[in-house]
Amino acid sequence: MNTINVRVSRFDPAVDSTPRYQTYEVPFEARMTVMDVLDYIYENLDHTIAYHSHTSCHRRVCTRCNVTINSKPGLSCHTEVTGDMTIDPLPRLKVVRDLVVEGL
Amino acid sequence: MSDTDSIDVLVIGSGGAGLRAAIESSDHGASTTLISNGATGKSGATMIAGADVTLDGAGAAKIGLPGNEEDSKEKFIHDIIVQGYYLNNQRLVEVYVRDAPPRTKELIDWGVKYVWDGKRALLTQGVELNRVLVEQTRKRNITIIDDVYMTDLLTQGNTVVGAAGVDVNHGEIRSFGAKSVVIATGGWQRSYTFTSAPGGLTGAMHVAALRAGADLVNMEMVTFCPNVILWPPALRGDIFPYILIERFGDLLEKHGRPFLRDEYDPSIYRIATTTEWNKLIFSVAGTRVVLRGDGSPRGGTYYSIKTVPLNILEEAEKLYPGWKWLRTDFSSLMDWLEDGNAVEVAPAAHYMEGGILVDEHTATTLKGLYAAGECSGGLFGANRVASAITQILVQGAIAGGSAAEFSKTSKTKEPDKKQLDNIRSRLLSPFTKTGGVRAPDLKKRVRKIADDHLWVLRNGNGLKSAIAELESILLKEIPKLSIQTAARTYNKEWIDAIEIEQTAQVLLASARSALFRTESRGVHNRSDYPLTNNNTWLREIITKNVKGRFTLTTRPVIVTKLKPPKGKFSFEEGIIRAVKELGE
């Protein structure tokens, strides 16, 4: 099976002094989105990962799933995955945990 | 976490109904707090709605739109009731039609961008509607609280005295004392795997209302939107092919045959492709195709534009320049379709006709509790064709006003500490467990029960097994849910654990109602009871909480305007009859 390596910024301000990366190996499927990758990690590899999804619209409207994908901002629900990637929270916003930020 | 003091009206839900309720409540002089499980203006179903506002032509003419003066309120009321298979609470229909023109007028005065369709609809977009309503909300002295997932109502006897829930970002349990509460939280579409609705529509407050002692009505009634994209993932859940099929294209089964045209009466085909009866007809016909084994690999059917000449497509593209609709770019999908491919589509859980039982003042059966918009039930009976946007505006305004007036006559009551402690321990229980069931796994299983048994076509055996499975999950598995994530801040497992309990409860209420209604009517179709039976089933099904047990009862439909006909008829006969009555 084709897999990709996904590096995700992990940070809990209550216990960590700086963010660190954690890498997950995720099965690759044609045209999958960044949200699909995060869902896969949460459901199968690591239940502790935090990214906003419980009120996401999946239509480019709410913008609450906005993250930094390979150094560029992008909506995780509509950004298709092409290969290995690094996912960070949006810059300059207070991180709640991992990829969830305040003020978005 | 400390409680918030002196709220007159607490509005839960920040879609169109909640925003409109908050505006009205504030205009009635009540101190108003609007609370949302996401961010105000960025959550709820309104933001992704198509969206149109419906009103009668003569009413439209009176507010300055070029409406048809030969249309009338009486005709519009008649049509909504026929479309609803006579299950509508006709008092709610009267109010909807009465208040549609003033609610539309005020939207125009507030600067909403729109196009008048020449008949009964003001066409706008959910994003635009949200923009206007959020702007009006922010102009007023309304307290806005975001990212608090409300789960419970606080009561004293049969009076609501506040509500409680989880601040998802900070991981704290919060409670709010309030003299009255408006629920405006939409449907429970997220209890299904495949839905056109955004996240957050989990039915949490339906369950909270029932738990607190309010009644639910017609919980078996679920509208599916057909032709919703199954793949690719970025477009999954999008209803664009449904929008397109009103103009062109066909749905095909796996051999490439257009099943609706081949297998149904020409009048049914015509109605399905030219009127908004398309939701019901395509959903039922497509599901029949899948059930007999002629569906697509992902369990749907195919939408194709292969027979549409290119110049006709070019003409249509002018309506959706660059094949963009709302905020999504469909140009690559359209290129692919123009090359002769077909996209896999399926019905998706779309709109709930059933919900919290309300009267024409949006009052529930609990004192101080009001419900507006899709979370309420009864207005559209067994099938909605008229606009749900009008519903949120009309009922939102009434709820805000009713709640504000109620708050003037009532005193703030301290929430019962024991009740709060129980809520707190229930919400925090998964943190105290180890081993047991994991939230993401159980969430999938609960949704699959809805997909399998509460779908477009139901049957008694399926519903019985759904009920047994949901009861077992609620009794044996949910109490064992455990959370591995230590941090409470944006804890997905915790959010899922809360959602699972709510969705299992709301699905149980829906499955019990669906089993109880031994007929087919509107969007509720049973293969073991295929006929609509007006001789015995012109009754609403009400779910009540009797001393902690959810029990079912019925009441005759509330008739004020249009007397329902007697007799029994099939799915096809029912549609042909209705269309004759509507003159479509």
Side-chain angles (χ1 to χ4, degrees):
Chain A
M1 198 198 316
N2 242 342
T3 62
I4 53 170
N5 288 317
V6 181
R7 226 163 47 122
V8 181
S9 173
R10 305 297 309 271
F11 180 51
D12 182 351
V15 289
D16 302 326
S17 53
T18 52
R20 67 195 157 81
Y21 282 116
Q22 190 162 353
T23 301
Y24 302 95
E25 192 179 338
V26 175
F28 177 77
E29 281 178 46
R31 306 203 63 177
M32 74 194 304
T33 65
V34 173
M35 182 74 91
D36 293 329
V37 167
L38 292 170
D39 285 344
Y40 184 89
I41 296 170
Y42 166 64
E43 286 166 13
N44 300 286
L45 306 175
D46 187 347
H47 298 340
T48 68
I49 189 171
Y51 57 101
H52 188 100
S53 66
H54 80 288
T55 65
S56 296
C57 72
H58 219 263
R59 300 285 191 291
R60 292 176 185 258
V61 173
C62 78
T63 69
R64 293 204 97 196
C65 68
N66 218 335
V67 291
T68 304
I69 304 155
N70 293 333
S71 309
K72 281 190 201 150
L75 297 180
S76 58
C77 73
H78 265 72
T79 306
E80 293 191 353
V81 176
T82 50
D84 294 349
M85 62 179 166
T86 299
I87 311 175
D88 291 288
L90 278 192
R92 293 181 294 281
L93 292 170
K94 191 180 168 206
V95 174
V96 173
R97 204 160 62 77
D98 300 341
L99 304 175
V100 179
V101 292
E102 278 186 21
L104 186 63
Chain B
M1 186 70 198
S2 66
D3 298 349
T4 310
D5 295 326
S6 70
I7 297 173
D8 289 336
V9 176
L10 177 68
V11 180
I12 303 172
S14 69
L19 291 165
R20 189 61 193 82
I23 290 167
E24 192 72 14
S25 164
S26 179
D27 288 352
H28 278 245
S31 84
T32 306
T33 294
L34 176 67
I35 197 158
S36 170
N37 71 348
T40 295
K42 295 178 176 180
S43 57
T46 305
M47 65 179 164
I48 62 164
D52 57 349
V53 186
T54 48
L55 67 166
D56 74 283
K62 281 203 184 104
I63 61 165
L65 293 163
N68 175 7
E69 295 190 40
E70 281 170 26
D71 193 10
S72 68
K73 288 195 169 43
E74 296 302 312
K75 282 184 190 164
F76 195 22
I77 289 169
H78 165 273
D79 291 359
I80 292 170
I81 296 166
V82 171
Q83 288 156 350
Y85 286 72
Y86 293 90
L87 193 68
N88 319 60
N89 176 339
Q90 295 189 11
R91 283 195 199 111
L92 303 188
V93 179
E94 283 189 68
V95 165
Y96 173 98
V97 172
R98 180 194 74 198
D99 288 358
R103 293 290 80 78
T104 309
K105 171 77 165 57
E106 102 204 332
L107 269 188
I108 295 170
D109 291 345
W110 288 341
V112 80
K113 294 191 194 98
Y114 69 91
V115 175
W116 173 246
D117 85 335
K119 294 176 214 153
R120 276 182 183 165
L122 187 93
L123 310 175
T124 178
Q125 289 189 356
V127 180
E128 171 65 5
L129 202 64
N130 243 7
R131 179 190 69 78
V132 167
L133 292 172
V134 169
E135 187 180 277
Q136 290 298 322
T137 301
R138 293 200 193 282
K139 275 186 183 170
R140 290 163 173 81
N141 185 21
I142 294 167
T143 305
I144 293 174
I145 299 175
D146 286 344
D147 293 311
V148 178
Y149 183 165
M150 300 304 279
T151 59
D152 287 87
L153 290 167
L154 307 172
T155 52
Q156 279 186 8
N158 67 342
T159 304
V160 169
V161 298
V166 175
D167 176 334
V168 290
N169 279 350
H170 301 98
E172 290 154 352
I173 290 171
R174 295 191 60 179
S175 66
F176 302 86
K179 290 178 186 168
S180 64
V181 174
V182 175
I183 300 177
T185 50
W188 67 92
Q189 292 88 327
R190 282 276 154 177
S191 304
Y192 290 87
T193 307
F194 193 53
T195 170
S196 56
L201 277 75
T202 57
M205 294 314 291
H206 292 77
V207 175
L210 185 61
R211 199 173 255 147
D215 294 348
L216 306 180
V217 67
N218 300 342
M219 291 297 285
E220 70 279 23
M221 297 299 172
V222 177
T223 284
F224 292 84
C225 183
N227 324 349
V228 176
I229 299 174
L230 276 171
W231 195 89
L235 302 179
R236 187 172 48 221
D238 211 297
I239 70 168
F240 193 53
Y242 163 75
I243 301 291
L244 292 183
I245 207 162
E246 281 185 43
R247 302 185 182 279
F248 55 77
D250 248 318
L251 281 194
L252 312 176
E253 43 82 274
K254 72 175 180 190
H255 307 96
R257 295 187 190 112
F259 52 87
L260 198 69
R261 198 163 54 191
D262 284 3
E263 298 171 26
Y264 288 78
D265 188 277
S267 64
I268 299 264
Y269 179 76
R270 187 183 61 78
I271 295 154
T273 48
T274 57
T275 73
E276 292 217 16
W277 288 79
N278 49 14
K279 281 197 188 103
L280 176 58
I281 298 170
F282 275 119
S283 290
V284 169
T287 303
R288 286 175 177 168
V289 163
V290 172
L291 288 178
R292 73 175 185 228
D294 288 341
S296 71
R298 291 182 179 85
T301 57
Y302 296 94
Y303 174 68
S304 161
I305 59 172
K306 195 168 181 201
T307 58
V308 188
L310 283 176
N311 53 334
I312 291 180
L313 281 179
E314 276 165 24
E315 206 48 44
E317 194 183 343
K318 290 178 189 163
L319 295 166
Y320 314 100
W323 292 120
K324 289 191 179 73
W325 184 62
L326 302 183
R327 291 200 178 159
T328 303
D329 182 349
F330 292 94
S331 56
S332 63
L333 176 74
M334 293 306 289
D335 286 345
W336 191 70
L337 290 172
E338 279 178 34
D339 287 344
N341 298 292
V343 61
E344 281 182 65
V345 294
H350 186 66
Y351 176 84
M352 307 308 189
E353 280 84 356
I356 301 165
L357 180 74
V358 292
D359 67 9
E360 58 274 30
H361 309 291
T362 74
T364 69
T365 43
L366 273 182
K367 272 190 201 152
L369 182 67
Y370 302 83
E374 190 182 358
C375 69
S376 73
L379 165 60
F380 290 116
N383 180 39
R384 174 179 74 80
V385 176
S387 160
I389 298 293
T390 303
Q391 178 187 21
I392 60 181
L393 298 171
V394 167
Q395 294 184 334
I398 293 173
S402 299
E405 293 309 316
F406 179 86
S407 73
K408 288 176 187 169
T409 63
S410 109
K411 293 205 162 51
T412 307
K413 295 187 181 76
E414 275 299 304
D416 179 350
K417 191 171 172 307
K418 200 171 156 222
Q419 199 174 41
L420 260 176
D421 286 345
N422 285 341
I423 291 166
R424 186 180 298 273
S425 74
R426 194 188 81 237
L427 291 172
L428 291 174
S429 134
F431 286 103
T432 65
K433 304 277 161 47
T434 50
V437 196
R438 302 184 313 167
D441 301 336
L442 192 56
K443 184 171 172 171
K444 281 189 175 170
R445 273 178 50 210
V446 171
R447 284 176 168 178
K448 188 158 188 312
I449 297 169
D451 303 344
D452 289 347
H453 303 303
L454 277 161
W455 203 241
V456 177
L457 298 174
R458 296 97 185 264
N459 67 74
N461 287 337
L463 291 167
K464 280 178 200 158
S465 86
I467 292 166
E469 227 178 315
L470 288 166
E471 283 177 338
S472 161
I473 284 171
L474 280 161
L475 192 71
K476 294 180 189 150
E477 303 199 50
I478 286 171
K480 289 187 197 154
L481 266 176
S482 71
I483 291 178
Q484 295 176 0
T485 315
R488 289 214 198 144
T489 48
Y490 205 89
N491 184 318
K492 276 185 69 68
E493 286 184 289
W494 193 17
I495 296 169
D496 273 353
I498 295 166
E499 272 191 16
I500 292 163
E501 210 249 330
Q502 315 283 8
T503 55
Q505 294 281 16
V506 83
L507 289 172
L508 185 56
S510 185
R512 283 179 173 157
S513 282
L515 181 65
F516 200 68
R517 184 173 290 283
T518 48
E519 65 155 358
S520 293
R521 181 179 298 274
V523 297
H524 168 74
N525 285 285
R526 281 184 62 164
S527 52
D528 49 348
Y529 290 95
L531 300 184
T532 301
N533 183 349
N534 276 358
N535 300 338
T536 49
W537 267 116
L538 282 166
R539 304 184 76 83
E540 292 184 300
I541 297 177
I542 295 170
T543 307
K544 280 183 180 297
N545 176 355
V546 181
K547 291 178 185 160
R549 275 193 68 84
F550 299 166
T551 54
L552 296 178
T553 173
T554 68
R555 70 173 186 191
V557 291
I558 294 173
V559 175
T560 58
K561 285 281 179 186
L562 190 63
K563 200 167 172 285
K566 290 255 183 238
K568 295 184 184 182
F569 37 84
S570 70
F571 176 73
E572 285 83 353
E573 284 164 353
I575 289 165
I576 292 168
R577 278 174 72 126
V579 168
K580 272 191 196 138
E581 283 185 71
L582 295 167
E584 279 180 347

